């Protein structure tokens, strides 16, 4: 068998052969119900860990490419362990995950029980990754105890003030997202982190603009963004307006998620190039000229 890690293109003038990078995989598991900014921020941090591993290996003299794999706990497991219901189907969860720009692959049917080294090996996973909040199985044991003992665990910081439970409480309590006491904070640093990897708008040849409220980002939103991304032949930039929704009298915001939460969720989508916060409901010709928009689209 040929070792593919030892073949590749010759470095011009060096007389050496460049090795093809070895693929490593890191796994983040979740229920992924009613996907929100906290979910996307977790996956973003896992992607950052992937880049850190690539740099570590490079210092050791090895070229690797690290893939981010999202593991989905099936709904039957959620019902068995948590005893409650779920909002989204597994198909909807997969659609949301596949639209995330940091996800390279998906593993289905991840049991809601302590993760084993055998499970990692079966799915060619090098490391399991989780937030710094301790995840426990129904019997109280550490969900990542086995992989921690094996040295195949990495950790990131859990996102504050956002969870599926938080969103459900906002919905049931008619909780205004933009004025919520608990909201995932929007900072310039976070905007930069979520925007990283996109090309500047100045280098785009054809820009498409679409705007909506985008509250509780879901699969229909994702499909609209995908279609908008493919709407114009040769278009290479999708600018997305995030409109601020309010009631007819303008006194109360009706959205469940804040403007910042919606913007960051959109920036996590592989079809979106950039966002415009508090976008005008009816943009003027000057607005389109300022951004060099070729085709404006509108979503109710």
């Amino acid at each position: 068998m040929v070792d593919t890690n030892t073949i590749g293109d010759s470095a011009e003038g060096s007389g050496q052969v460049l090795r093809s990078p070895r693929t490593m995989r890191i796994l983040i598991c979740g229920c992924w119900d009613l996907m929100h900014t906290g979910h996307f921020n977790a996956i973003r941090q896992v992607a950052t860990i992937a880049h850190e591993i690539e740099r570590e290996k490079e210092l050791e003299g090895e070229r690797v490419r690290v893939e981010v794999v999202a593991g989905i706990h099936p709904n039957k497991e959620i019902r068995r362990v948590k005893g409650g219901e779920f909002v989204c189907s597994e198909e909807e969860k997969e659609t949301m995950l596949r639209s995330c720009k940091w996800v390279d692959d998906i593993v289905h049917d991840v049991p809601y029980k302590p993760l084993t080294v055998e499970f990692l090996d079966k799915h060619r996973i090098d490391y399991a990754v989780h937030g710094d909040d301790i995840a426990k199985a129904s019997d109280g044991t550490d969900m990542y105890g086995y992989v921690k003992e094996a040295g195949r665990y990495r950790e990131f910081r859990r996102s504050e003030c956002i969870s599926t439970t938080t969103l459900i409480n906002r919905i049931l309590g008619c909780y205004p997202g933009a004025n919520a006491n608990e909201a995932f904070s929007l900072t310039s640093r976070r905007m930069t982190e979520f925007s990283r990897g996109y090309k500047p708008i100045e280098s785009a040849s054809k820009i498409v603009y679409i705007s909506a409220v985008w509250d509780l980002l879901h699969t229909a939103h994702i499909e609209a963004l995908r279609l908008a991304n493919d709407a114009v032949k040769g278009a290479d930039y999708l600018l997305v307006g995030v409109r601020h929704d309010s009631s007819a009298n303008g006194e109360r915001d009706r959205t469940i998620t804040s403007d910042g939460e919606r913007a960051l969720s959109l920036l996590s989508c592989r079809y979106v190039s950039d966002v415009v916060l508090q976008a005008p409901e009816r943009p003027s010709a000057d607005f389109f000229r300022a951004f060099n928009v070729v085709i404006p689209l509108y979503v109710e």
Side-chain angles (χ1 to χ4, degrees):
M1 180 179 292
V2 177
D3 182 0
T4 57
N5 199 42
T6 63
I7 60 176
D9 297 327
S10 296
E12 186 176 353
S14 68
Q16 297 179 339
V17 175
L18 296 178
R19 296 184 176 185
S20 300
R22 177 170 67 91
T23 299
M24 296 180 67
R25 287 155 61 89
I26 57 178
L27 174 72
I28 175 172
C29 298
C31 299
W32 311 116
D33 203 15
L34 203 60
M35 280 194 74
H36 51 71
T37 314
H39 289 138
F40 293 123
N41 190 47
I43 299 171
R44 180 195 64 77
Q45 291 183 84
V46 174
T48 299
I49 291 173
H51 293 316
E52 291 172 354
I53 294 173
E54 289 173 346
R55 288 193 292 270
E56 290 171 6
K57 293 297 182 180
E58 185 177 4
L59 291 174
E60 296 172 2
E62 183 181 9
R63 294 175 63 212
V64 301
R65 177 184 180 273
V66 182
E67 295 180 344
V68 174
V69 182
I72 304 176
H73 296 304
N75 286 343
K76 63 181 180 181
E77 283 285 272
I78 298 172
R79 185 185 289 112
R80 178 183 67 82
V81 175
K82 297 191 175 184
E85 288 300 318
F86 37 83
V87 178
C88 300
S89 69
E90 291 176 37
E91 292 76 14
E92 289 171 325
K93 295 176 184 180
E94 179 175 355
T95 296
M96 297 300 296
L97 285 167
R98 290 199 183 279
S99 73
C100 179
K101 65 183 181 181
W102 298 296
V103 173
D104 297 302
D105 197 7
I106 290 176
V107 171
H108 294 274
D109 298 323
V110 179
Y112 205 104
K113 62 183 182 181
L115 203 61
T116 64
V117 172
E118 290 74 19
F119 183 89
L120 297 188
D121 291 341
K122 176 182 177 181
H123 296 282
R124 299 179 291 110
I125 303 296
D126 294 274
Y127 294 99
V129 190
H130 193 266
D132 54 11
D133 54 320
I134 298 177
K136 293 185 178 181
S138 55
D139 61 358
T141 56
D142 187 347
M143 290 276 283
Y144 293 86
Y146 297 133
V147 295
K148 287 177 181 178
E149 292 175 2
R152 295 173 65 176
Y153 176 80
R154 298 282 182 120
E155 195 168 87
F156 59 86
R157 185 176 180 180
R158 187 182 189 276
S159 303
E160 80 285 354
C161 299
I162 186 70
S163 67
T164 299
T165 301
T166 300
L167 293 185
I168 292 174
N169 287 338
R170 292 184 193 177
I171 294 169
L172 296 178
C174 299
Y175 201 22
N179 300 312
N181 292 322
E182 287 192 356
F184 187 69
S185 302
L186 178 68
T187 65
S188 59
R189 178 179 178 180
R190 276 189 170 152
M191 287 288 287
T192 300
E193 289 171 339
F194 274 70
S195 303
R196 190 167 291 134
Y198 287 131
K199 67 179 181 181
I201 193 170
E202 293 80 11
S203 64
S205 57
K206 286 187 179 180
I207 300 169
V208 175
Y209 176 78
I210 183 172
S211 74
V213 176
W214 311 109
D215 197 20
L216 294 173
L217 194 69
H218 51 71
T219 54
H221 288 146
I222 296 301
E223 180 64 7
L225 292 167
R226 185 190 68 80
L227 292 172
N229 190 62
D230 297 336
V232 180
K233 185 177 181 180
D236 56 354
Y237 202 94
L238 181 61
L239 183 64
V240 180
V242 182
R243 299 204 306 267
H244 185 76
D245 188 27
S246 59
S247 61
N249 60 20
E251 294 179 356
R252 185 177 182 184
D253 178 21
R254 297 179 299 174
T255 54
I256 303 302
T257 50
S258 69
D259 291 0
E261 287 169 339
R262 284 176 276 144
L264 293 177
S265 291
L266 285 163
L267 286 171
S268 305
C269 179
R270 64 178 71 250
Y271 307 121
V272 176
S273 301
D274 201 357
V275 298
V276 178
L277 283 167
Q278 295 192 334
E281 186 170 348
R282 301 293 178 185
S284 65
D286 286 341
F287 177 91
F288 292 131
R289 277 195 296 270
F291 289 105
N292 198 26
V293 172
V294 176
I295 296 292
L297 304 173
Y298 185 80
V299 178
E300 290 290 349

